[in-house]
Amino acid sequence: MFNQNDVLETVNMIEREHLDIRTITMGISLLPCISGSAEATAQKVYDTVCKKAENIVKVAYDLSREYGIPIVNKRVSVTPASLICSPFANKSYLIGKALDNAAKNLGIDFLGGYSALVHKGMADYEVEFIKTIPQVLADTERLCSSINVGSSKSGINMDAVKLMGQIIKQTAQATKDNDGFGCAKLVVFCNAVEDNPFMAGAFHGVGESDTVINVGVSGPGVVQHAIEKIPNANLTDLAEMIKRTAFKITRAGQLVAKEAAKRLNAQFGIVDLSLAPTPARGDSVAQILEEMGLEVVGTHGTTACLAMLNDAVKKGGVMASSKVGGLSGAFIPVSEDIGMIEAAERGTLCIDKLEAMTAVCSVGLDMIAVPGDTTASTISAIIADEAAIGMINNKTTAVRIIPAPNKTVGDCVNFGGLLGRAPIMPVHNESSEKFINRGGLIPAPIHSNKN
């Protein structure tokens, strides 16, 4: 039973502390769409997505109005498209265009799933599919792509890692008129999950039901304000406050997710309780860490603060819902977090420190801009480092990196909206090319043998 204080507290979270439902994402299986030709398959893909998700925008609007909670994004994820395109990989772009057209028709923000799972090996059709990514992302507006190159069970497919370094460079060049914006819609995973509602890495796993609703809740501002109320608390009490706050945020997400699934005739999947920041001041994971006692994010102690925050958020969330999933934790996308942006601009936050932080938080090196002349092998090496963290620690890690054409350290790219702006961050100039060119598979760690 809610009392007056509970109601007022929730209103305050929404109006002053940036609490929102960051996304309602409908996952749709496209496996029944495979037909005898690429053209016929593309038409079935378009029709299926438009039919299944025809009411997602309306339902999100209605729920936002009824419950008074902003719902920022309406999205769709689909079966990894490489599977749908396997009989005609050289025409995969037709499926990509059909998906983007469906997204436009529905009025949703993004559609994820132009994806391939190649963590143990790449079939010929998967290689052909991956090679279409740069042009497809250049020719579409709302389509997102992801590739899984490793897992704790299989190891890291270094042939795929090498290829993705090249693909990212090509994608940047294909979208050079917009500072390599295509790379903001492309993410490389280790241990990708099947129920992630966040872009650019969302896809609908083959182990999922036909149609599923996954919801991502975000409340960095709510957590920051909670910490501000106990400025002299020790870290034990601080963790307890974060847990209680995450519990309240997650309950709001579950309420919306269950009702959305009911109205959209879909299964309720999961609530992802990740703290996903925006460029707005007061909606920043970095500022939470600074409220804990850091002068600026990136200084010594940052990784410890982030570890505690991430763990407390997960503990509070799992007490609030039996269907917590997705990525769930704290995101650290540089361009999408005002605190991260400012720390990177002053040089306190570097890629090496970010890599250390990814060992204890959700996902990985996210929305990082680097000089346009960064080599493909260096990008591949960055991916390999991040995949190794995920593989060894049995967690999801990822890289969404933008080698901004004609930009160098000291410059900035600005994508606007939730994607924000990113200062160009330096990378190490020493070569990793011989390592990347070895290819093969980095074997899975010994703890993978748990059957």
Side-chain angles (χ1 to χ4, degrees), residues 2-3 5-11 13-14 17 19-21 69 217-219 222-223 225-226 229 240-256 271 273 275 312-313 315-321:
F2 285 105
N3 59 36
N5 288 336
D6 292 325
V7 174
L8 292 174
E9 184 180 48
T10 303
V11 169
M13 285 181 178
I14 294 168
E17 299 171 5
L19 173 64
D20 58 46
I21 304 298
I69 302 176
V217 186
S218 185
V222 179
V223 175
H225 279 77
K229 295 174 183 177
E240 287 299 316
M241 175 63 82
I242 294 169
K243 283 165 56 179
R244 290 197 296 271
T245 305
F247 179 92
K248 296 170 186 175
I249 293 170
T250 307
R251 294 298 285 178
Q254 173 149 312
L255 174 67
V256 171
V271 177
L273 50 97
L275 297 179
V313 166
K315 287 174 177 173
V318 297
M319 288 295 292
S321 173

Side-chain angles (χ1 to χ4, degrees), residues 224-446:
Q224 182 183 344
H225 279 77
I227 295 173
E228 288 174 352
K229 295 174 183 177
I230 49 172
N232 300 315
N234 64 35
L235 294 175
T236 305
D237 293 339
L238 206 60
E240 287 299 316
M241 175 63 82
I242 294 169
K243 283 165 56 179
R244 290 197 296 271
T245 305
F247 179 92
K248 296 170 186 175
I249 293 170
T250 307
R251 294 298 285 178
Q254 173 149 312
L255 174 67
V256 171
K258 290 180 70 174
E259 189 60 30
K262 179 181 176 182
R263 298 186 188 187
L264 291 167
N265 193 31
Q267 179 176 307
F268 167 35
I270 57 91
V271 177
D272 186 316
L273 50 97
S274 297
L275 297 179
T278 72
R281 197 167 298 279
D283 197 26
S284 161
V285 170
Q287 289 176 338
I288 295 175
L289 304 181
E290 290 167 358
E291 191 62 40
M292 287 182 176
L294 304 176
E295 181 178 350
V296 62
V297 69
T299 192
H300 304 296
T302 297
T303 305
C305 285
L306 185 58
M308 192 190 82
L309 171 65
N310 205 59
D311 181 65
V313 166
K314 288 178 183 288
K315 287 174 177 173
V318 297
M319 288 295 292
S321 173
S322 60
K323 290 197 171 185
V324 168
L327 300 169
S328 289
F331 287 179
I332 52 171
V334 173
S335 78
E336 300 173 15
D337 186 310
I338 186 62
M340 300 284 178
I341 293 168
E342 292 175 348
E345 287 176 336
R346 66 186 288 178
T348 309
L349 189 64
C350 63
I351 290 179
D352 290 343
K353 185 59 178 179
L354 282 165
E355 182 183 301
M357 294 164 66
T358 64
V360 300
C361 75
S362 293
V363 199
L365 297 174
D366 196 12
M367 286 302 288
I368 293 171
V370 298
D373 61 0
T374 303
T375 64
S377 61
T378 295
I379 293 172
S380 293
I382 291 171
I383 293 169
D385 282 344
E386 198 60 30
I389 290 173
M391 177 185 70
I392 295 296
N393 291 290
N394 199 31
K395 69 183 293 291
T396 302
T397 52
V399 173
R400 187 162 46 148
I401 190 169
I402 304 157
N406 305 315
K407 300 279 187 177
T408 189
V409 176
D411 295 331
C412 184
V413 294
N414 194 334
F415 297 126
L418 289 177
L419 295 177
R421 75 177 194 273
I424 306 299
M425 302 180 74
V427 299
H428 294 288
N429 294 320
E430 295 77 12
S431 175
S432 308
E433 189 166 2
K434 183 176 179 180
F435 165 62
I436 296 301
N437 284 338
R438 287 181 181 273
L441 188 77
I442 294 180
I446 188 63

Side-chain angles (χ1 to χ4, degrees), residues 137-148:
L137 291 184
D139 292 342
T140 56
E141 295 178 19
R142 309 183 192 197
L143 185 66
C144 294
S145 179
S146 60
I147 306 294
N148 192 59

Side-chain angles (χ1 to χ4, degrees), residues 11-41:
V11 169
N12 192 54
M13 285 181 178
I14 294 168
E15 292 187 349
R16 299 182 182 181
E17 299 171 5
H18 301 282
L19 173 64
D20 58 46
I21 304 298
R22 186 55 49 86
T23 178
I24 289 180
T25 301
M26 175 180 280
I28 300 173
S29 173
L30 296 183
L31 292 175
C33 297
I34 301 175
S35 301
S37 69
E39 291 77 9
T41 299

